[in-house]
Structure formats: C-alpha cells, structure tokens
Amino acid sequence: MKSVFVSAGIAVMAAIAPLEARAASFSQLYVFGDSLLDAGNLFRASSALSPLGIPQSPPYAQRLSNGPVWVEYLADSFELEPALFADLLLNPLATDVSEGINFGVAGASTGTNNTVVPDFPLDTGALAQVTAFSSLVNFSGVPPAEDALFVYLAGGNDFAGSEAMPAETDITVPLQNTSAALQALVGSGAKNILVSSLPDLSLTPRFLGTPEAPTLSSRVTDYNTALSALVEDFVSATPDVNFIDFDLNGELLNAIANPDKFDFANVTDACLTDYSFPIDLDGFTVCDTPDQFLFWDDFHPTTQGHKFVAQAALSQLDGRDPDPKAVSIPESGMIGGMLVLMTAAGGTRLLRR
C-alpha cells in the first residue's frame, strides 16, 4: 500500500444557506467515501499536480455536481465547517480541523485505490481514508469528540467499475473493506457512525436501460442487504456506539417514483451532456433548469438531488419524517480540497476541540 495517508510531508466553502434548527447536534463531522461525499478533495489535489483540476470546473463546481454535496448541507445544519483533508495537507499549520475533516475523494473504492485516477501517486480509497484518520488519532493521542458524527458511504465505484478497474462481480471484497473501515472507526473512538446504503446505480443515466443494468441493480441490492446485516452486527457487538443505518437508496427510489414531491421535472437524464469525464476542453452542454434535474452528469446527482438526501439524513438523525423542501440551495460558491496525508507539524492539531 502506498504511503498516502501515513507518510508525513506529502503535499499534494461554498456559502451554504442556513438550515432550520434541528434537535440532533454534533460538534464534529468526519466524512469517508467517494464522489457523493467529496466536497472538492480530488479537484484540489489534482490542481496541485497539474494546471487543470479534476473535474474540470466549470462545468463542475470543483466536486462531481453543480454545487454542494449532501454532507455539506449536513455540516451547515450543525453549524460546522469540517476541514478538507487536501487543505490540511497543503497548509497544515493554517488549517483548523477542530470541527472535523472531510476525507471523501471522488473515485474512491471501498479499498485503497481510486477508479477515476488509478495512477494517482497516493491511496485514496475509503479504507485508506479511515486508515489516515486512525493514524492521525494515534499520532495526536486525542480521540474525536464524544458527540462527533462520522459518515461513511462507499462501494459505488467498486460495482460500476471503470476502464482502469473492472467492476466487482461479488460483494465479498467491498463488504470486507467496509467492515474493516467501520471497525477501525470504532477503534479510533467514533461513537456516532452513519452508514449509508448505495444508490441503485442501474437507475443513473449511465446505466439506465443498458444490458448490464439488471445485474448491477442486483449486486447493489445484495450489497445493501448485507451492509444492513453488518451494521446490525456492529450494533450488537458495540452497544456503546450509535450506528445509524441510512437508506440513501430508498430516498433515491422515492424521488424517482415521486418526482413532483421533490420538484424534479426529469429523473432519468443528465443535465450536463456532450462532455467526456474527467477532462474535455472541447465543450459541453448544460440544461437550462438544473434544479429540476435529479442527475447532473450521467452518474452523479445535482446539488438539488443532494439537498433532499441531506434532508432525509437530518430527519433520521432527528427521529422524524423528512421534508424534502426544508433545505435551501445556495446560489453559488466553491469549495476546495482533496485527500492525502498531513505533515507531522499539523498532526498535533488534529482533533482538538
């Protein structure tokens, strides 16, 4: 394993509208996973290595959407500003991480590698992200706050695959990676862990109606079923840890079945078209009404899509029924960041509160 998150010295917010006050409250937020959680980490890291960041922005907003992703709305609801791990690595002494860290990286698998940038000189998979967090806790000797919230979502890239990484045909390895990640979080002092199911990838514009869609849907379903059972095992084995089994897939299916409820006019097509990911300088086409689209590109939600996911997660944390229209969409903004490891100089500031 490359020394992505364990080697010292490797260098590699959007203005979010306030959310309504909530019953649940957390003093720190730690995020681990892929593009559905990446608030700009891949873009910031790739920008440090080349003149052009990934994803190209515009049309993207430095994350694989046209605005904030759902954990950004989540953070705002708790009045938190988690640091981006890339910022921490690029400028460790000036980065305040007292309110948590977003480790998420677009393209992350459940293991250690990245499907978007497979030859990236660092390990950026979800398990590597958690390993980084554990290393920082061990280095600082300071555990996370008792009321810190941890969010984990990974696996989509394992089953979707890419030109550089074949799709997983079995759920065993992704499930083992997830189990190892959750065990490491518990071992590092996490007391509140939200584990999200995978969205049904067969319903994204990339796979909708294709021959592989039924098989892909079946694998995601099998993984989600096994993931729920895994979470139940952790609940039994670690009664002092609050595990939240969040059904993101159920929220996606609800939005597709009831688009009017979420003010969506289109839940099947991508708003962004004529564009080759990750880099295409020749042009692209953006729909006139992105807030009415569930999908931004052929695989990722619009920020409007992320908004209702955040609302559902917040409602579950609060123990009440979700209101899909209760979260405001910001008018503009950019966020930066990526995933790598911080220098030893910054390590002592990791989990202070």
Side-chain angles (χ1 to χ4, degrees):
M1 175 178 173
K2 306 181 190 73
S3 56
V4 60
F5 296 121
V6 291
S7 298
I10 299 179
V12 156
M13 179 135 149
I16 301 179
L19 310 186
E20 62 185 28
R22 326 204 72 88
S25 181
F26 302 93
S27 66
Q28 296 174 334
L29 178 64
Y30 295 95
V31 175
F32 307 88
D34 54 28
S35 57
L36 294 180
L37 305 177
D38 183 353
N41 280 324
L42 179 63
F43 180 85
R44 184 66 59 88
S46 57
S47 297
L49 298 176
S50 67
L52 186 65
I54 300 173
Q56 177 185 329
S57 299
Y60 288 90
Q62 299 188 9
R63 59 280 241 186
L64 289 176
S65 187
N66 61 321
V69 296
W70 66 279
V71 288
E72 295 179 75
Y73 292 116
L74 202 66
D76 185 70
S77 71
F78 302 128
E79 299 183 348
L80 297 176
E81 295 186 19
L84 292 162
F85 202 33
D87 289 341
L88 182 62
L89 300 179
L90 294 170
N91 198 351
L93 295 178
T95 303
D96 182 3
V97 297
S98 62
E99 296 184 357
I101 305 172
N102 185 328
F103 291 82
V105 180
S109 68
T110 56
T112 60
N113 58 344
N114 191 293
T115 63
V116 173
V117 191
D119 56 351
F120 199 79
L122 306 166
D123 287 329
T124 56
L127 184 55
Q129 297 170 28
V130 173
T131 299
F133 171 76
S134 298
S135 298
L136 294 173
V137 170
N138 292 334
F139 178 83
S140 67
V142 180
E146 286 278 330
D147 62 347
L149 177 64
F150 292 74
V151 175
Y152 177 93
L153 169 57
N157 293 313
D158 298 65
F159 296 114
S162 68
E163 293 182 2
M165 190 182 88
E168 288 282 353
T169 58
D170 188 271
I171 68 172
T172 302
V173 172
L175 197 65
Q176 289 175 340
N177 289 335
T178 295
S179 179
L182 297 180
Q183 187 62 57
L185 290 178
V186 171
S188 297
K191 296 299 183 184
N192 303 282
I193 306 176
L194 185 151
V195 182
S196 174
S197 66
L198 295 182
D200 188 343
L201 306 176
S202 71
L203 299 177
T204 63
R206 181 180 302 178
F207 293 105
L208 184 64
T210 63
E212 58 264 47
T215 299
L216 181 58
S217 180
S218 178
R219 285 176 187 155
V220 170
T221 297
D222 290 346
Y223 176 82
N224 284 339
T225 300
L227 180 64
S228 290
L230 176 65
V231 171
E232 286 300 316
D233 289 342
F234 272 99
V235 169
S236 299
T238 56
D240 61 326
V241 178
N242 176 30
F243 277 90
I244 301 100
D245 188 358
F246 176 53
D247 187 14
L248 184 153
N249 188 46
E251 300 303 326
L252 171 68
L253 297 177
N254 187 17
I256 291 176
N258 304 284
D260 292 343
K261 178 181 178 181
F262 300 88
D263 291 334
F264 289 127
N266 191 316
V267 294
T268 57
D269 301 314
C271 174
L272 176 66
T273 56
D274 302 324
Y275 180 76
S276 177
F277 185 83
I279 297 175
D280 179 6
L281 299 178
D282 294 332
F284 50 82
T285 300
V286 177
C287 66
D288 293 332
T289 56
D291 281 354
Q292 296 180 20
F293 277 66
L294 174 59
F295 293 103
W296 171 241
D297 61 14
D298 70 349
F299 198 65
H300 304 94
T302 58
T303 193
Q304 184 77 12
H306 281 283
K307 179 188 83 167
F308 83 80
V309 172
Q311 184 60 49
L314 289 166
S315 297
Q316 183 169 341
L317 290 167
D318 284 347
R320 54 187 177 75
D321 293 333
D323 176 358
K325 301 178 182 179
V327 183
S328 300
I329 290 290
E331 295 181 357
S332 63
M334 291 289 173
I335 237 183
M338 136 74 216
L339 178 74
V340 239
L341 203 235
M342 69 187 299
T343 63
T348 55
R349 307 180 65 223
L350 171 62
L351 298 172
R352 66 175 178 80
R353 179 72 196 160

